[in-house]
Amino acid sequence: MTRYHVGGKVVHEVDLLKLRHWTWRLDIWPFAILYFIWLLAVVPNIDFSDAFIVLGGFAILHILVLLFTAWSVDFKCLVQFRKVNDIHSATSCKIIPSKFSGSKEIVLLHTRKPVVGSSASSTENANEIYFVFRKQCFNFSAEKNTFCKLPYPTKESFGYYLKSTGHGSETKVASATDKWGRNVFDYPQPTFQKLLKEQVMEPFFVFQVFCVGLWCLDEYWYYSLFTLGMLFLFESTMAKGRLKTLTELRRVRVDSQMLIVHRGGKWVKLSGTDLLPGDVVSIGRSGQNGEDKTVPADMLLLAGTAITNEAILTGESTPQWKVSVAGQSLEEKLSIKRDKNHILFGGTKILQHTPDKTFNLKAPDGGCIAVVLRTGFETSQGKLMRTILFSTERVTANSWESGLFILFLLFFAIIAAGYVLKKGLEDPTRSRYKLFLSCSLILTSVIPPELPMELSIAVNTSLIALARRGIFCTEPFRIPFAGKVDICCFDKTGTLTSDDMEFQGVVGLDDDGALQTDMSKLPVHTVQVLASCHALVFVENKLVGDPLEKAALKGINWIYTSDEKALPKKSGGQAVQIIQRHHFASHLKRMGVIVRIQDQFFAFVKGAPETIQDRLIDVPATYVKTYKKYTRQGSRVLALAYKTLPEMAVSEARSLDRDVVENGLTFAGFAVFNCPIRSDSATVLSELKGSSHDLVMITGDQALTACHVASQVHIITKPALILVRGNNSTDFQWVSPDETEITSYSEKEVEQLSDSRDLCIGGDCFEMLQRSEAVFNVIPYVKVFARVAPEQKELILNTLKTVGRMTLMCGDGTNDVGALKQAHVGIALLNAVLPTQTGEASSQTQPSKSENKAGKSTKPKSVLESSKSVVPANNTATTSNRHLTAAEKQRQKLQKMLDEMNEEGDGRSAPVVKLGDASMASPFTAKHASVAPTLDIIRQGRSTLVTTLQMFKILGLNCLATAYVLSVMNLDGVKLGDVQATISGVFTAAFFLFISHARPLQTLSAARPHPNIFCAYVFLSLTGQFAMHLFFLISSVNEASKYMPEECIEPDSEFHPNLVNTVSYMVNMMIQVATFAVNYMGHPFNQSISENRPFKYALFAAVGFFSVITSDLFRDLNDWLKLVPLPEVIRGKLMLWAMLMFVGCYGWERLLRSLFPGRMPARSRRQKQAAVSLDKKQL
């Protein structure tokens, strides 16, 4: 058998399979033989009723085998398929997904003719072999001898794209359609019946129905029907919730608008759903009705510029400027991560476009020219939809631990069942049928029917609570991770600090280093650089863009016009006309523009001081000293520079290479900006630090600025040291921000140094750490990472995960995507954006332009009923106060949405996550301009962990007690009545429901929840409490036996009320109430029992009910419950022993909680293990 290693983000490995002929399937021929043997050998030789029992056993075994083929993919492979080595003889394959990408699946292998011009078609006539897994196509590559994701033209050179003229013939169009398919989001709409069938085919549900059947055979009709009804109600609710989610997703379609496409050497009109990768299209904002046009696929801009709204994908409401690839190096390869400012993403809206009339292809409709890169589910919007679509399965917490916990309980059940079987076989008169039934009931009693329901409720309750606070989650399994988080990483700009930049002035033009705030005294070129070196743009007569650039323009008192011209507000100054922009790139840390002032061309550049320093002709003596002085104070400092360009034509100026434009510059000063820290950042981070979390800052800003801000928000609390290059370029040293303390760098001393100092390293030190393989010895001890590129942010998170940290990353949804995805808990902070729908038939969910960072406010369109984005009213109240009517309507809509969510929030089904709510950036999307959602998510994560832990303890104790009652006591004739079992089940269900709805406390505690079920605390707690329960139960039943007449009670006899049964039931009720009350985990994580009113009232009701039946106040009630009167002596003893049992269990539980508190895990050992394992790999 050949196993192909794919190693992708979705598919890890692939096994080849061939479907067996139906006669050779292991679920058919062995059973055919068994039935034949039964007919020939069993029926003639034994009594027919016994033969029928044997047939029933065969039938149950057959049904189990058939069910296991539905439950287990591996078992289905064994039964229905055989493994093969030759891919050409395989008919199917088993997909083993990557971690957290879902479960294994069997998918069909398909073949098709190779695409014309591909390597396969040129080398051989063999068909292409491929499979489709979760809407992604994987082709078999003979060259690599594995399956590879279907390639899209996304990694070619810019020269390749600029030469594109689209598909030249119908043959090529047909081949491309065969290869990539139509540009649609195509998935079938399941019916409620189909989804319910999937739910009831789940192993737990089938097992629960089997248990109900056993109870019915033992004549517990009321209890069985009550349990069955509860199960079907829960599963129906889950199916309805999934149906609603899938229905909402089906509403999102590729816009079927007509586009002008260049095919076969001419422009033709095509629908957006007919686009193919490689198509050259004309795209822009439609001019007919003024509607913003939706981009139907991911495409690269070849000519022209466009302004897009990407809120549907990233939640970022600031319009994004998209520029063509003209001017890029023709040999350079496209990188979608790096070159996103050249790419129009599918699902986004074009607000404005400017065509390029000089490009060789002229669009007849005056649109921008773009080449299609990806279509369908491979677009950015398609990827987000896949994330949402395939995360709609039932959500649980600690699923593998629940399996181990059941095995642990099963061990005790096997002992109990073995005891009953041994005793039963010793009695020749005992019914074998009843004996088999008793053993089956004991074994099944340890797997509580409520388990999957309670685990789902625990996670769904948290999902609903977060959704009400404007926080949406696409990967629910991460909620318990939030409770285990021990290190929180934060981006700085726009996350900890505000987006509202304040321009302070210009510095560095003279030797004294004084800040010049009077703009009239600045050199003319300095002002011109500030006025024109930016990416601001007009959209619907509103100036939008980076808040820093707007602050600079406002500070120098200039204006910017829609024809890309900067002018001073006061008359007399010269206008600056922008000719060409080289946009800011994170890997370059600079941007430049070519401008014309009268007839003279200039290059204006701004960027990071250390980047611009290497590009200056003459560096001032105080250059470094000056910018460091202001960065130490937490200011954002940008270096400004310019150079004069020779006379040339405008077309020549536009075609100048970027590196030529941005070299040989003259220094024009430092622009100093103040970036105020958000009002609640320090408070939130202080609470996180006080609740046993380590804090880290990861930013692209300068190290000194980052250290200053970090000290303001409690990330840095000790003297700081920054790792910098020494005089020799290969040497590194630790330097304090004021440069008064210098310590040589040694990899081995980092851990010791971190005890007395808070460490900071810059992005330029990462290469050194990777070269010297010191990553694991340094990164875990660093508090501030500065000047890091997006790829380095991913490396930091991966390193922290490798050394065993549970990581949280909080940043914006644009620059931090990689790090947010790598973290265990990634939180993208976005401004509140409400999804809306246009009135067209396309029903494409789109973001409204209700408000964005630049202050643009328009009247929102009608909100989709399906897109009930829950945004706190206090947030929206501040977003728009200019138009009272719009604001009032917005508030009414939000109130209506909140009411609807409150009606939906039944605690059973997770909230529907929609495009516009979710972000492609991270699993959690918070529509807040604040880091406060971090607290909410951790709070809910801890609450889910604690609730899950207490559920396992309670279920464990109940199951152990049940196993004892059904085994030892059942042999003595102790049974429960049908009504008694039903009442007990009602109380259990109510208790579980109410503890799962306990709200987390607002304040995070320094104590941490236990992250795992298997720990000394849980084991000792279960053992101690069960011993007390057992002692109480045995003592009470023995005491009752003294008052019973000397009569032999048959174990298999029908239920008859007697004193022992009555005492047994009452004691079981007491134990049940005590178990819930003692193991309820309130403070410091959740509400206490007194604060959780529904649970408190349920406990009081149970205690009251128990007191009433014990005291025999209502004889009719006791008769209905089949309870006999208790002698006075037993009544008093029961009450006393119950109190002693409760006090004993409560004291034992409190003692263990104080002896085994949740702690921050020891780190040094894990870090050393990670370093050792790395060394072994290299050897």
Side-chain angles (χ1 to χ4, degrees):
M1 188 270 301
T2 302
R3 172 167 285 185
Y4 294 111
H5 180 77
V6 179
K9 290 182 179 177
V10 178
V11 176
H12 180 57
E13 290 176 325
V14 176
D15 289 344
L16 297 179
L17 305 170
K18 184 172 184 178
L19 189 67
R20 297 177 190 267
H21 189 270
W22 70 270
T23 53
W24 293 108
R25 279 171 40 170
L26 298 182
D27 55 352
I28 293 178
W29 68 262
F31 291 97
I33 293 171
L34 280 176
Y35 295 138
F36 188 69
I37 291 170
W38 175 81
L39 194 63
L40 293 182
V42 177
V43 173
N45 297 320
I46 64 171
D47 185 66
F48 185 74
S49 61
D50 290 340
F52 196 75
I53 290 173
V54 173
L55 180 64
F58 287 165
I60 288 172
L61 183 63
H62 198 175
I63 290 167
L64 273 176
V65 168
L66 292 172
L67 284 171
F68 266 102
T69 59
W71 296 338
S72 169
V73 170
D74 290 327
F75 189 77
K76 185 176 183 179
C77 291
L78 176 70
V79 170
Q80 298 181 2
F81 295 85
R82 59 186 178 86
K83 295 174 180 177
V84 292
N85 292 323
D86 181 18
I87 191 165
H88 297 287
S89 62
T91 57
S92 306
C93 54
K94 180 174 76 174
I95 309 298
I96 302 163
S98 303
K99 195 175 182 183
F100 297 131
S101 294
S103 53
K104 297 174 185 176
E105 283 184 33
I106 296 173
V107 297
L108 289 173
L109 277 177
H110 304 277
T111 58
R112 64 180 166 212
K113 291 180 180 178
V115 177
V116 176
S118 69
S119 57
S121 63
S122 58
T123 55
E124 53 180 319
N125 292 323
N127 287 338
E128 283 185 354
I129 300 171
Y130 70 98
F131 66 82
V132 177
F133 176 68
R134 294 188 180 166
K135 303 301 176 185
Q136 284 188 290
C137 183
F138 291 82
N139 287 347
F140 179 71
S141 167
E143 185 184 340
K144 296 179 181 176
N145 196 34
T146 188
F147 285 92
C148 302
K149 209 164 78 164
L150 176 66
Y152 282 75
T154 57
K155 295 179 181 177
E156 307 295 337
S157 66
F158 286 120
Y160 169 86
Y161 295 116
L162 287 166
K163 289 177 187 172
S164 297
T165 56
H167 297 290
S169 66
E170 286 301 319
T171 310
K172 287 185 177 179
V173 170
S175 297
T177 307
D178 281 346
K179 182 175 182 179
W180 288 300
R182 295 184 72 228
N183 181 30
V184 290
F185 296 139
D186 181 31
Y187 44 93
Q189 170 68 53
T191 60
F192 174 77
Q193 289 80 5
K194 185 184 175 185
L195 288 175
L196 185 62
K197 182 185 172 185
E198 282 179 22
Q199 296 286 121
V200 299
M201 283 287 286
E202 289 287 319
F204 256 121
F205 187 85
V206 173
F207 172 78
Q208 289 158 342
V209 172
F210 177 67
C211 291
V212 166
L214 290 178
W215 285 111
C216 284
L217 291 174
D218 207 27
E219 296 166 4
Y220 285 96
W221 292 102
Y222 290 135
Y223 178 65
S224 302
L225 292 174
F226 165 74
T227 306
L228 194 64
M230 188 172 66
L231 293 173
F232 266 105
L233 181 66
F234 177 74
E235 296 300 341
S236 300
T237 309
M238 294 290 289
K240 183 183 174 186
R242 286 189 65 201
L243 183 66
K244 186 176 179 183
T245 304
L246 295 169
T247 305
E248 303 305 343
L249 282 173
R250 273 185 62 82
R251 294 192 183 197
V252 183
R253 302 193 185 108
V254 172
D255 203 325
S256 56
Q257 64 196 3
M258 299 304 288
L259 289 163
I260 306 289
V261 184
H262 197 260
R263 280 192 184 171
K266 61 185 179 185
W267 292 100
V268 293
K269 276 193 174 185
L270 285 175
S271 167
T273 55
D274 293 326
L275 288 184
L276 295 165
D279 268 331
V280 171
V281 302
S282 168
I283 188 137
R285 183 175 182 176
S286 61
Q288 298 158 1
N289 53 9
E291 280 295 324
D292 303 334
K293 187 167 277 190
T294 303
V295 181
D298 288 357
M299 47 186 76
L300 182 69
L301 209 50
L302 301 180
T305 59
I307 312 299
T308 63
N309 185 341
E310 295 185 350
I312 194 76
L313 298 182
T314 65
E316 177 57 61
S317 56
T318 302
Q320 305 295 305
W321 193 320
K322 302 294 181 178
V323 295
S324 72
V325 294
Q328 298 291 320
S329 169
L330 297 181
E331 291 76 32
E332 192 177 349
K333 299 271 186 180
L334 173 67
S335 164
I336 287 182
K337 274 187 181 178
R338 185 194 64 213
D339 301 311
K340 59 186 178 185
N341 63 319
H342 301 305
I343 295 170
L344 302 171
F345 292 105
T348 61
K349 272 187 162 185
I350 294 179
L351 306 178
Q352 185 173 300
H353 77 279
T354 309
D356 182 355
K357 295 174 183 175
T358 62
F359 194 66
N360 55 350
L361 272 177
K362 303 287 188 300
D365 62 348
C368 297
I369 307 295
V371 60
V372 177
L373 299 177
R374 301 183 295 202
T375 55
F377 278 101
E378 281 302 316
T379 62
S380 296
Q381 185 183 23
K383 285 180 184 177
L384 178 56
M385 287 188 64
R386 272 192 282 119
T387 302
I388 298 171
L389 186 65
F390 296 111
S391 66
T392 55
E393 295 91 359
R394 171 180 284 176
V395 293
T396 59
N398 297 326
S399 54
W400 69 271
E401 286 194 325
S402 62
L404 288 176
F405 190 72
I406 287 169
L407 286 176
F408 169 72
L409 296 175
L410 195 61
F411 172 73
F412 293 97
I414 290 170
I415 294 172
Y419 176 76
V420 169
L421 187 64
K422 179 176 176 293
K423 291 287 184 183
L425 291 173
E426 289 172 0
D427 182 0
T429 61
R430 190 165 181 189
S431 165
R432 296 293 182 262
Y433 162 72
K434 286 284 188 180
L435 182 63
F436 166 74
L437 186 61
S438 297
C439 291
S440 301
L441 281 170
I442 293 165
L443 289 173
T444 57
S445 68
V446 297
I447 306 177
E450 305 94 345
L451 182 64
M453 199 185 306
E454 302 307 336
L455 293 181
S456 295
I457 287 174
V459 177
N460 287 341
T461 302
S462 292
L463 283 175
I464 292 165
L466 290 173
R468 285 177 178 164
R469 297 184 71 85
I471 302 164
F472 299 90
C473 177
T474 55
E475 298 174 12
F477 66 83
R478 292 187 185 270
I479 285 182
F481 287 173
K484 302 179 186 181
V485 163
D486 52 44
I487 185 164
C488 302
C489 308
F490 293 91
D491 179 36
K492 182 182 80 70
T493 309
T495 302
L496 294 172
T497 60
S498 169
D499 281 328
D500 301 322
M501 306 294 287
E502 298 169 1
F503 179 59
Q504 301 290 297
V506 177
V507 71
L509 296 170
D510 46 33
D511 293 338
D512 63 359
L515 184 68
Q516 181 57 263
T517 55
D518 185 353
M519 297 300 111
S520 62
K521 296 180 181 178
L522 291 178
V524 65
H525 284 318
T526 301
V527 177
Q528 288 168 345
V529 173
L530 285 168
S532 58
C533 190
H534 56 68
L536 298 176
V537 65
F538 273 87
V539 177
E540 295 180 356
N541 299 320
K542 292 279 184 182
L543 189 63
V544 296
D546 191 335
L548 179 142
E549 294 173 340
K550 290 172 70 182
L553 199 63
K554 182 181 176 184
I556 59 173
N557 207 24
W558 277 51
I559 57 170
Y560 180 65
T561 62
S562 55
D563 57 351
E564 299 193 332
K565 194 178 286 184
L567 301 160
K569 282 187 180 177
K570 294 179 182 177
S571 58
Q574 296 176 327
V576 180
Q577 177 70 55
I578 298 172
I579 302 297
Q580 176 73 7
R581 278 185 173 91
H582 294 289
H583 285 262
F584 175 81
S586 58
H587 64 289
L588 298 176
K589 297 175 187 169
R590 65 179 189 271
M591 81 161 288
V593 293
I594 298 171
V595 302
R596 184 171 63 188
I597 303 171
Q598 294 180 329
D599 293 327
Q600 180 67 55
F601 287 99
F602 292 91
F604 291 160
V605 182
K606 70 177 181 187
E610 60 270 33
T611 304
I612 302 298
Q613 184 178 356
D614 299 333
R615 297 179 170 270
L616 297 176
I617 298 170
D618 182 26
V619 180
T622 57
Y623 185 94
V624 175
K625 179 185 172 184
T626 304
Y627 84 75
K628 282 188 175 180
K629 173 187 173 183
Y630 285 93
T631 51
R632 280 190 200 106
Q633 298 169 11
S635 297
R636 179 93 178 267
V637 179
L638 291 178
L640 311 176
Y642 68 95
K643 80 171 180 182
T644 307
L645 297 174
E647 285 188 27
M648 63 182 84
V650 171
S651 58
E652 287 180 64
R654 284 188 173 139
S655 60
L656 281 175
D657 188 62
R658 179 167 188 167
D659 215 40
V660 173
V661 172
E662 296 173 356
N663 254 322
L665 304 169
T666 303
F667 182 59
F670 294 113
V672 180
F673 298 86
N674 182 30
C675 191
I677 297 168
R678 292 194 192 278
S679 57
D680 61 348
S681 291
T683 313
V684 171
L685 268 67
S686 175
E687 186 170 346
L688 285 172
K689 191 152 197 165
S691 55
S692 306
H693 294 94
D694 289 336
L695 304 178
V696 167
M697 178 188 286
I698 307 176
T699 178
D701 216 335
Q702 219 269 349
L704 293 168
T705 306
C707 284
H708 175 82
V709 173
S711 66
Q712 302 288 306
V713 293
H714 310 292
I715 292 175
I716 285 180
T717 53
K718 295 179 279 196
L721 289 178
I722 303 168
L723 186 63
V724 295
R725 289 183 186 274
N727 297 327
N728 186 339
S729 60
T730 58
D731 292 337
F732 286 82
Q733 55 191 22
W734 296 104
V735 180
S736 62
D738 57 5
E739 299 183 7
T740 56
E741 182 183 350
I742 298 176
T743 308
S744 60
Y745 163 76
S746 170
E747 173 191 331
K748 295 175 183 175
E749 295 173 5
V750 170
E751 183 178 358
Q752 186 182 346
L753 190 63
S754 67
D755 292 336
S756 58
R757 299 286 186 273
D758 282 329
L759 307 181
C760 167
I761 65 171
D764 55 345
C765 303
F766 273 81
E767 292 177 13
M768 177 274 292
L769 293 176
Q770 287 173 293
R771 277 199 312 271
S772 61
E773 294 159 11
V775 172
F776 292 117
N777 294 326
V778 177
I779 286 182
Y781 301 103
V782 175
K783 286 297 183 78
V784 176
F785 298 90
R787 281 282 185 255
V788 288
E791 295 77 22
Q792 291 171 329
K793 290 185 180 183
E794 287 187 59
L795 171 68
I796 294 165
L797 267 298
N798 273 326
T799 305
L800 292 172
K801 283 163 66 180
T802 305
V803 298
R805 307 301 301 262
M806 289 297 291
T807 56
L808 177 146
M809 176 71 196
C810 183
D812 60 58
T814 48
N815 300 324
D816 304 316
V817 177
L820 291 167
K821 282 288 188 187
Q822 285 300 328
H824 291 104
V825 179
I827 308 168
L829 299 182
L830 315 171
N831 279 359
V833 181
L834 288 173
T836 66
Q837 183 186 24
T838 62
E840 297 169 9
S842 63
S843 71
Q844 164 72 53
T845 309
Q846 291 297 344
S848 82
K849 306 177 289 299
S850 59
E851 181 62 26
N852 57 35
K853 290 182 184 177
K856 176 179 171 237
S857 177
T858 62
K859 185 176 178 180
K861 299 168 189 171
S862 63
V863 179
L864 263 176
E865 184 277 333
S866 63
S867 298
K868 303 183 198 58
S869 301
V870 185
V871 185
N874 61 342
N875 261 18
T876 50
T878 58
T879 55
S880 176
N881 57 7
R882 295 187 179 88
H883 303 297
L884 186 63
T885 311
E888 287 298 326
K889 286 184 179 178
Q890 189 89 318
R891 203 170 288 116
Q892 287 170 9
K893 288 173 187 172
L894 284 169
Q895 191 57 51
K896 184 183 175 186
M897 290 176 206
L898 284 168
D899 294 341
E900 286 171 344
M901 177 57 89
N902 286 329
E903 289 168 14
E904 288 172 15
D906 56 6
R908 292 171 298 199
S909 57
V912 182
V913 181
K914 298 156 288 278
L915 288 169
D917 292 342
S919 163
M920 67 177 178
S922 70
F924 291 91
T925 305
K927 303 211 165 175
H928 298 259
S930 153
V931 289
T934 308
L935 294 177
D936 291 323
I937 291 168
I938 290 177
R939 204 178 285 128
Q940 290 296 340
R942 285 186 171 188
S943 177
T944 302
L945 262 188
V946 165
T947 303
T948 305
L949 186 66
Q950 72 190 8
M951 280 180 179
F952 275 117
K953 286 177 64 186
I954 292 166
L955 288 169
L957 287 167
N958 285 347
C959 291
L960 289 172
T962 306
Y964 180 78
V965 169
L966 288 172
S967 57
V968 179
M969 297 184 72
N970 194 264
L971 288 173
D972 296 332
V974 177
K975 293 188 75 174
L976 291 182
D978 191 4
V979 177
Q980 294 172 359
T982 308
I983 295 292
S984 178
V986 169
F987 274 114
T988 303
F991 285 149
F992 272 126
L993 185 66
F994 296 141
I995 63 170
S996 68
H997 280 74
R999 293 179 183 173
L1001 295 182
Q1002 281 301 107
T1003 306
L1004 287 175
S1005 69
R1008 299 177 63 83
H1010 291 277
N1012 302 308
I1013 298 168
F1014 292 96
C1015 58
Y1017 157 69
V1018 175
F1019 180 74
L1020 290 172
S1021 178
L1022 283 176
T1023 309
Q1025 289 187 60
F1026 180 58
M1028 290 183 223
H1029 293 169
L1030 206 57
F1031 183 72
F1032 177 40
L1033 192 59
I1034 293 170
S1035 302
S1036 302
V1037 171
N1038 287 343
E1039 185 69 20
S1041 300
K1042 295 176 185 177
Y1043 294 86
M1044 286 280 291
E1046 290 293 328
E1047 61 180 68
C1048 180
I1049 302 173
E1050 291 296 326
D1052 297 332
S1053 62
E1054 290 186 8
F1055 172 77
H1056 293 290
N1058 59 43
L1059 190 59
V1060 171
N1061 281 339
T1062 300
V1063 169
S1064 172
Y1065 175 66
M1066 290 179 176
V1067 169
N1068 268 314
M1069 280 289 290
M1070 293 176 191
I1071 289 173
Q1072 188 182 72
V1073 174
T1075 300
F1076 278 97
V1078 167
N1079 292 284
Y1080 179 85
M1081 291 186 181
H1083 290 190
F1085 306 110
N1086 286 340
Q1087 293 172 317
S1088 63
I1089 292 179
S1090 59
E1091 292 165 335
N1092 185 355
R1093 290 185 179 179
F1095 182 60
K1096 179 178 71 174
Y1097 295 149
L1099 279 178
F1100 284 157
V1103 172
F1105 176 76
F1106 161 71
S1107 302
V1108 166
I1109 62 173
T1110 307
S1111 59
D1112 207 8
L1113 282 175
F1114 302 104
R1115 186 64 252 163
D1116 290 344
L1117 175 64
N1118 283 24
D1119 286 341
W1120 180 64
L1121 291 170
K1122 308 287 178 63
L1123 299 175
V1124 302
L1126 294 179
E1128 284 292 334
V1129 180
I1130 291 184
R1131 194 178 300 169
K1133 282 184 178 180
L1134 273 186
M1135 298 296 283
L1136 177 64
W1137 289 350
M1139 287 295 295
L1140 289 173
M1141 180 270 297
F1142 176 77
V1143 170
C1145 290
Y1146 185 83
W1148 177 247
E1149 177 67 14
R1150 288 299 175 272
L1151 175 66
L1152 290 177
R1153 288 188 193 180
S1154 61
L1155 291 176
F1156 299 97
R1159 292 193 181 94
M1160 284 278 278
R1163 297 293 162 209
S1164 317
R1165 184 167 50 83
R1166 288 190 182 182
Q1167 278 158 220
K1168 284 170 185 170
Q1169 284 174 350
V1172 167
S1173 64
L1174 182 71
D1175 292 340
K1176 284 180 181 174
K1177 283 180 185 175
Q1178 288 161 353
L1179 290 171

